[in-house]
Amino acid sequence: MPIRSLIVGLLLALIAPVAAHASGSVALKSAVFVERMATSPDGKLTVELRAAETVSPGDRLVFILTYRNDTDRPVPDVVITNPVPAPVLYEGAAAAAALVSVDGGRTWGPVADLRVADSDGQLRPARAFDVTHIRWVIAKPVPPRATGRLSFRGTVK
C-alpha cells in the first residue's frame, strides 16, 4: 500500500468517528465534509462541501451536528459536546456561544481565557491547536420535535 494512501486512510479513521454527545432527550447526528473548489457553469470558482471520503493534510473540514428533540415536551438545559479529532486544527465554531476545552473536557471557556502548560511546565495562553473539545449550551429549551444545527471548522494537520 502506498504511504500516501495509508496516511489518508489513517486520517479518515481518526476524523470519521466524531463522537458527539448531547445531554437530555435530544438525538444527535454528526457529519464531516471537506471543502473543495469547483468551477460553476459560468466559469467562476466556488467552494463546495463534499463528503469527507478522502482527506489530505491542509484540507479544510466542516463538522455539522444536527440535533432533534424526539419527545413531546420541551427539553431544557441541552449541552452538546464534540471532541476535535487529533489530526484536526480547530478553526472556530459558527455559533459565538461555543466554548472550548484544551484539557480533554475538564475545563471550558473561550480559547483566549484558557491556559496550557508548555513543555517546561510554564503556563501560556491557549491557542487553536490546543483545542481538544468544543461545547455548545443551548440557551432556550428545545421545543418538541424541533431540530437545530451546529457546526465548526478545522484543517487537517
Side-chain angles (χ1 to χ4, degrees), residues 82-148:
N82 199 108
V84 176
V88 174
L89 171 64
Y90 172 75
E91 288 185 6
L99 301 173
V100 298
S101 176
V102 295
D103 59 9
R106 290 186 298 279
T107 57
W108 297 92
V111 71
D113 293 351
L114 301 175
R115 304 269 183 253
V116 295
D118 254 339
S119 57
D120 62 0
Q122 297 295 315
L123 289 180
R124 64 163 174 78
R127 297 183 200 114
F129 61 80
D130 297 312
V131 173
T132 61
H133 291 74
I134 183 168
R135 172 176 283 175
W136 295 268
V137 177
I138 309 301
K140 296 179 182 177
V142 179
R145 308 290 175 212
T147 62

Side-chain angles (χ1 to χ4, degrees), residues 6-20:
L6 180 63
I7 291 171
V8 169
L10 288 172
L11 285 172
L12 283 174
L14 290 169
I15 292 170
V18 178

Side-chain angles (χ1 to χ4, degrees), residues 10-82:
L10 288 172
L11 285 172
L12 283 174
L14 290 169
I15 292 170
V18 178
H21 171 72
S23 64
S25 303
V26 173
L28 188 62
K29 186 172 100 174
S30 63
V32 183
F33 298 91
V34 63
E35 290 183 348
R36 298 282 188 226
M37 296 304 292
T39 305
S40 65
D42 62 359
K44 293 181 182 176
L45 281 179
T46 60
V47 177
E48 292 181 348
L49 292 182
R50 297 190 183 156
E53 295 171 0
T54 61
V55 297
S56 300
D59 281 348
R60 295 196 64 203
L61 304 175
V62 177
F63 295 78
I64 297 176
L65 294 90
T66 305
Y67 61 91
R68 178 180 168 88
N69 176 357
D70 286 331
T71 72
D72 292 325
R73 59 181 170 54
V75 176
D77 306 318
V78 174
V79 176
I80 297 173
T81 303
N82 199 108

